[in-house]
Amino acid sequence: GFLLGDATKAFALANPDQNFSIVDYSYNPAIPNVVGQVYATDEAAFLAGYLSAGMTETGTVGVFGGLNIPPVTIFMDGYVRGVHHFNEVHGANVTVLGWDPETREGLFTNNFSSLDDGRTFAQSLYEEGADIVLPVAGTVGQGSAALAGELGADRLMIIGVDADLVETNPSQASVYLTSIMKRMDVTTFNVVQSVADGTFVGGVTVGNLENGGVALAPFHSFEDAVPEALKAELEALTAAIIAGEVSVH
C-alpha cells in the first residue's frame, strides 16, 4: 500500500526483470516494471455523500479519517462534495462535520486499529447531531459500528469503506447503510492477467465507476428504507459521473 511506495520503488529498480504492482500508489515518472493501482474512490464516495444527504433525518452527517494521507482524504473529499451536490440539486442545507476539502483540515484518529477511537469519534459526531457517519480508518470503523449497534440504526448509521462491510463485518451488518468499495480484486486480477497473457506494461491503472474499480455496495437491510426516487437519482448520478457531466472534484 501507500506506505510501501519507497520500498517498492527501490526493489523494482534493483530488479528490473521482475514485475511489481503496488496498491494505492503510483510513480511519476512511471517505472517500467511497476504497475501502480490507484482508485477514483472519490467517485463512489460522492455517491455515498449524496445518499447520506438524502437519508439523514437530522440534517447533519459526519466523517473522520485514520491518517491525513491521500488514500484516506480522497474518500472524505468525495463524500463532502456529494453532500454539497445534493444540497445544490435539492435546495437543501445538509451539514457535513469532520472534513473541509478546501482547508484540508478535519478529524483524524492517527491510527487504523483502535476500536476505542472509532467509538469516541463517532460518539462525538453523533452528539453534534450526525445520524450518519463515514469512518475512513480501517479497523477503527468497527468501533463506530459497535456504537451504532448499541444506539440503533434509527439513530446512527455507518458508511463502510474499502469492502462491503456487511460481508466482512457481518456481526454489525444492521448498521451499514452502504459501503464505498475499492475493488482491489478487480484491478489486481487485471494486473495478474496482463502478466499471464504477456501484455504487462508499467505505469498506472485507475479503478473507477466506469470499469468497476470502485462502487457503492448494496443497501442490504436498508434496501426498503432508501426511497425509490433517491435510488433513481443515484443511478442517474452514476451515469453522469461516468459521462463527465458531473465532476466529483
Side-chain angles (χ1 to χ4, degrees):
F2 182 83
L3 299 178
L4 294 176
D6 291 342
T8 302
K9 178 179 179 179
F11 278 91
L13 293 176
N15 298 274
D17 295 329
Q18 173 67 49
N19 293 328
F20 291 79
S21 188
I22 182 169
V23 172
D24 280 339
Y25 203 89
S26 63
Y27 301 96
N28 186 15
I31 302 173
N33 58 326
V34 183
V35 171
Q37 301 179 43
V38 297
Y39 304 87
T41 42
D42 50 351
E43 292 185 352
F46 192 92
L47 297 175
Y50 194 96
L51 167 68
S52 296
M55 291 295 292
T56 179
E57 296 290 339
T58 64
T60 302
V61 300
V63 58
F64 68 88
L67 289 174
N68 193 341
I69 57 176
V72 170
T73 58
I74 190 174
F75 282 92
M76 302 167 80
D77 288 341
Y79 187 72
V80 172
R81 289 168 180 155
V83 172
H84 291 169
H85 186 66
F86 181 93
N87 287 340
E88 292 171 6
V89 170
H90 289 272
N93 191 32
V94 177
T95 299
V96 190
L97 305 174
W99 180 241
D100 186 328
E102 306 308 320
T103 66
R104 315 307 291 168
E105 295 179 352
L107 298 176
F108 294 92
T109 60
N110 292 314
N111 72 86
F112 293 99
S113 59
S114 172
L115 300 186
D116 288 341
D117 283 349
R119 174 183 291 270
T120 299
F121 276 62
Q123 179 76 46
S124 177
L125 289 166
Y126 172 73
E127 290 175 355
E128 290 187 64
D131 60 353
I132 301 174
V133 169
L134 166 63
V136 191
T139 305
V140 171
Q142 293 182 19
S144 304
L147 173 68
E150 294 170 10
L151 292 171
D154 59 327
R155 297 172 68 185
L156 180 62
M157 292 180 284
I158 303 296
I159 304 289
V161 296
D162 291 338
D164 183 347
L165 293 199
V166 167
E167 297 181 353
T168 61
N169 189 25
S171 65
Q172 295 165 338
S174 64
V175 305
Y176 290 110
L177 174 59
T178 187
S179 295
I180 303 162
M181 296 191 296
K182 180 190 295 185
R183 297 297 307 275
M184 292 178 278
D185 55 335
V186 171
T187 56
T188 299
F189 179 89
N190 290 341
V191 171
V192 174
Q193 183 68 50
S194 75
V195 175
D197 63 24
T199 61
F200 180 97
V201 177
V204 181
T205 182
V206 181
N208 55 27
L209 286 177
E210 184 174 15
N211 61 26
V214 300
L216 274 192
F219 302 130
H220 296 291
S221 60
F222 292 95
E223 184 64 40
D224 293 337
V226 179
E228 291 301 319
L230 183 54
K231 291 177 184 176
E233 287 182 49
L234 288 168
E235 186 174 339
L237 183 57
T238 300
I241 293 171
I242 292 173
E245 296 166 358
V246 171
S247 172
V248 304
H249 303 297

